[in-house]
Coordinates of all heavy atoms in Angstrom, one line a residue:
Chain B
A1377 N 106.8 72.9 44.4 CA 107.6 72.1 43.5 C 107.9 70.7 44.3 O 108.2 70.9 45.6 CB 108.9 72.9 43.3
I1378 N 107.8 69.7 43.7 CA 108.0 68.4 44.3 C 109.2 67.7 43.9 O 109.5 67.5 42.8 CB 106.8 67.3 44.0 CG1 105.4 68.1 44.0 CG2 106.9 66.1 44.9 CD1 104.4 67.2 43.4
E1379 N 110.1 67.4 44.9 CA 111.3 66.6 44.6 C 111.0 65.2 45.1 O 110.5 64.9 46.1 CB 112.5 67.2 45.3 CG 113.7 66.3 44.9 CD 115.1 66.8 45.4 OE1 115.2 68.0 45.8 OE2 116.1 66.0 45.3
F1380 N 111.2 64.2 44.1 CA 111.1 62.9 44.4 C 112.4 62.3 44.7 O 113.4 62.5 44.0 CB 110.5 62.1 43.2 CG 109.0 62.5 43.0 CD1 108.8 63.5 41.9 CD2 107.9 62.0 43.6 CE1 107.5 63.9 41.6 CE2 106.7 62.5 43.3 CZ 106.4 63.4 42.3
E1381 N 112.5 61.6 45.8 CA 113.8 61.0 46.3 C 113.6 59.6 46.9 O 112.5 59.1 46.9 CB 114.4 61.9 47.4 CG 115.8 62.5 47.0 CD 116.8 61.5 46.7 OE1 116.8 60.3 47.1 OE2 117.8 61.9 46.1
G1382 N 114.7 58.9 47.3 CA 114.5 57.7 47.9 C 115.1 56.5 47.1 O 115.2 56.6 45.8
S1383 N 115.3 55.4 47.7 CA 115.9 54.3 47.1 C 115.0 53.6 45.9 O 115.5 53.3 44.9 CB 116.3 53.2 48.0 OG 115.2 52.7 48.7
A1384 N 113.7 53.8 46.1 CA 112.8 53.3 45.1 C 113.0 54.1 43.9 O 112.8 53.5 42.7 CB 111.4 53.2 45.6
I1385 N 113.1 55.3 44.0 CA 113.2 56.2 42.8 C 114.6 56.0 42.1 O 114.6 56.0 40.9 CB 113.2 57.7 43.3 CG1 111.7 58.0 43.9 CG2 113.4 58.7 42.1 CD1 110.6 58.1 42.9
R1386 N 115.7 55.9 42.9 CA 117.0 55.7 42.4 C 117.0 54.4 41.6 O 117.8 54.3 40.5 CB 118.0 55.5 43.6 CG 118.3 56.9 44.2 CD 119.1 57.8 43.5 NE 118.6 59.1 43.7 CZ 118.3 60.1 42.8 NH1 118.7 59.8 41.5 NH2 117.8 61.3 43.0
N1387 N 116.2 53.5 41.9 CA 116.3 52.2 41.1 C 115.5 52.1 39.8 O 115.5 51.2 39.1 CB 115.7 51.0 42.0 CG 116.7 50.6 43.1 OD1 117.9 50.9 43.0 ND2 116.2 50.1 44.2
L1388 N 114.8 53.3 39.7 CA 113.9 53.3 38.4 C 114.7 53.8 37.2 O 115.7 54.5 37.4 CB 112.8 54.3 38.6 CG 111.7 54.0 39.6 CD1 110.7 55.2 39.8 CD2 111.0 52.7 39.3
S1389 N 114.3 53.3 36.1 CA 115.0 53.7 34.8 C 114.5 55.3 34.5 O 113.5 55.7 35.2 CB 114.4 53.0 33.6 OG 113.1 53.2 33.4
M1390 N 115.1 55.9 33.6 CA 114.7 57.3 33.2 C 113.2 57.3 32.7 O 112.4 58.2 33.1 CB 115.5 57.8 32.1 CG 116.9 58.4 32.6 SD 116.9 59.2 34.1 CE 115.9 60.7 33.7
E1391 N 112.8 56.4 32.0 CA 111.4 56.3 31.5 C 110.4 56.2 32.6 O 109.4 56.8 32.7 CB 111.3 55.2 30.4 CG 112.2 55.4 29.2 CD 111.8 54.7 28.0 OE1 110.9 53.9 28.1 OE2 112.5 54.9 26.9
A1392 N 110.8 55.3 33.6 CA 109.8 55.1 34.8 C 109.8 56.4 35.7 O 108.8 56.8 36.2 CB 110.3 53.9 35.5
R1393 N 111.0 57.1 35.7 CA 111.0 58.3 36.5 C 110.2 59.4 35.8 O 109.4 60.2 36.4 CB 112.4 58.9 36.6 CG 113.3 58.0 37.4 CD 114.8 58.6 37.4 NE 115.6 57.7 38.0 CZ 116.9 57.8 38.3 NH1 117.5 59.0 37.9 NH2 117.6 56.9 38.9
M1394 N 110.1 59.4 34.5 CA 109.3 60.4 33.7 C 107.8 60.2 34.0 O 107.1 61.2 34.1 CB 109.5 60.3 32.1 CG 110.9 60.9 31.8 SD 110.9 60.9 29.9 CE 112.4 59.8 29.8
T1395 N 107.4 58.9 34.2 CA 106.0 58.6 34.5 C 105.5 59.3 35.8 O 104.5 59.9 35.9 CB 105.8 57.2 34.5 OG1 106.2 56.6 33.3 CG2 104.3 56.8 34.9
I1396 N 106.5 59.4 36.8 CA 106.1 59.9 38.0 C 106.1 61.4 37.9 O 105.2 62.1 38.4 CB 107.2 59.5 39.2 CG1 107.1 57.9 39.3 CG2 107.0 60.2 40.4 CD1 107.8 57.3 40.4

Side-chain angles (χ1 to χ4, degrees):
Chain B
I1378 313 167
E1379 181 172 348
F1380 297 96
E1381 240 304 340
S1383 59
I1385 298 288
R1386 291 287 138 224
N1387 288 335
L1388 295 176
S1389 70
M1390 279 321 291
E1391 298 197 355
R1393 293 179 189 184
M1394 283 187 244
T1395 302
I1396 294 187

